[in-house]
Amino acid sequence: MAVEVVPQTQAIGAEVRGVDLSKEISQEEFEQIRQAFYRHSVIVVRDHAFDDEDHIRFSSRFGELKRLKFNDFIGKGRPEIFIVSNVKENDKYIGSHDAGMFWHSDGPFLKHPHGPAALHALEVPMHDGRALGDTRFASTAAAYDALSDSMKQQLDGLLAVHSLKQRYEKAVKEGGVADSSTMNQAATQETEAVHPLVRVHPHNGRKCLYVSEGYTTRILGMPLEQSRELIDELTAHIIKPQFVYTHSWRAHDLVMWDNCSTQHKATFDYEPQQRRLMHRTTLLNS
Ligand code: SIN
């Protein structure tokens, strides 16, 4: 099968066709997929069933995978697999049920933020033949490109603080209870880090806005109120429709996103009894 790359919007997202993840992919095919990924920031592979081993084999071709140590939501026997799900067994969630509640990229509160992540849909909630629980992805690179020159100059050299605590407090405030995975992270990991507000992508050199609704608390060297205003302005800008791809899930989809050039947010439009089950791998480095 020949690899075909079908862009989903002008700014972000491409479906990669002609790929069956349950089979070994040649180096030449992988190179085409890799290029599509760094060009479109989010890739979608669908139509062929595959399992955790295939998921791990494919995503680890991009680099070393994170192995979970202390977490309730590790896939059976595979520390590379993190479970995202609203399913309960014996009255306990089997996965993180509130992942993606706010616009965010993964792990900005770490000194070395996470690299790309790949989410595999095993069960998708449906209503009247329509999939629920879409995930939206926004291009922080296209959003940066669209800024005025004076705004680009203003942002040059600024540093922002990202905090896991803010994510936890927001979840509690908005009526949810942060799940045990968030609390485990807070207990076992670094919880706050400072990064440039504009990150240069290590693979393609594009400048990306690195500020999110979910995690960014303040901009260094700026009065708190002004810092909050700028964060709000930038986070609203990033999620303008022209920078967003909305993924409507089908079982067996794999969606991989770049945590430098994108942010994402899940949609919680399904009922507790409608099962949603996803497995995720995450790369250690961008
Ligand atoms: C995530 O934020 O990793 C999960 C997104 C989703 O479940 O749609």
Side-chain angles (χ1 to χ4, degrees), residues 66 68 107 109-110 114 164 184-192:
K66 181 178 159 101
L68 298 158
F109 49 85
L110 301 170
H114 292 145
L164 179 62
N184 278 342
Q185 281 182 67
T188 58
Q189 290 189 359
E190 311 149 46
T191 58
E192 197 165 281

Side-chain angles (χ1 to χ4, degrees), residues 82 84-85 96 98-102 104 106 117 119 133-137 249 257 264-268 270 276 278 280 282:
F82 178 74
V84 175
S85 185
S96 169
D98 66 359
M101 193 178 271
F102 308 103
H104 71 288
D106 298 326
L119 196 62
D134 292 355
T135 309
R136 284 180 292 156
F137 297 91
W249 291 93
W257 64 86
H264 57 283
K265 186 177 198 279
T267 309
F268 294 87
Y270 47 92
R276 188 174 189 267
M278 309 267 173
R280 190 180 75 198
T282 300

Side-chain angles (χ1 to χ4, degrees), residues 164-197:
L164 179 62
K165 199 159 156 268
Q166 145 138 336
R167 150 83 175 77
Y168 170 76
E169 286 171 355
K170 249 173 167 309
V172 173
K173 201 164 135 203
E174 307 220 343
V177 176
D179 65 34
S180 57
S181 123
T182 311
M183 292 190 282
N184 278 342
Q185 281 182 67
T188 58
Q189 290 189 359
E190 311 149 46
T191 58
E192 197 165 281
V194 174
H195 298 289
L197 197 63

Side-chain angles (χ1 to χ4, degrees), residues 111-136:
K111 190 169 168 209
H112 300 289
H114 292 145
L119 196 62
H120 172 200
L122 289 105
E123 294 183 52
V124 177
M126 303 289 294
H127 181 72
D128 278 347
R130 191 177 72 79
L132 302 172
D134 292 355
T135 309
R136 284 180 292 156

Side-chain angles (χ1 to χ4, degrees), residues 8-25:
Q8 299 298 295
T9 76
Q10 213 175 339
I12 178 171
E15 186 178 329
V16 177
R17 297 191 184 148
V19 173
D20 179 351
L21 295 177
S22 72
K23 305 208 162 59
E24 191 68 56
I25 291 165

Side-chain angles (χ1 to χ4, degrees), residues 68-85 87 92-99 178-185 277-280:
L68 298 158
K69 289 190 194 107
F70 311 105
N71 205 299
D72 293 348
F73 305 143
I74 299 178
K76 289 190 179 64
R78 294 309 313 235
E80 296 91 342
I81 298 284
F82 178 74
I83 303 173
V84 175
S85 185
V87 174
K92 278 182 72 179
Y93 285 108
I94 63 166
S96 169
H97 66 282
D98 66 359
D179 65 34
S180 57
S181 123
T182 311
M183 292 190 282
N184 278 342
Q185 281 182 67
L277 175 61
M278 309 267 173
H279 282 184
R280 190 180 75 198

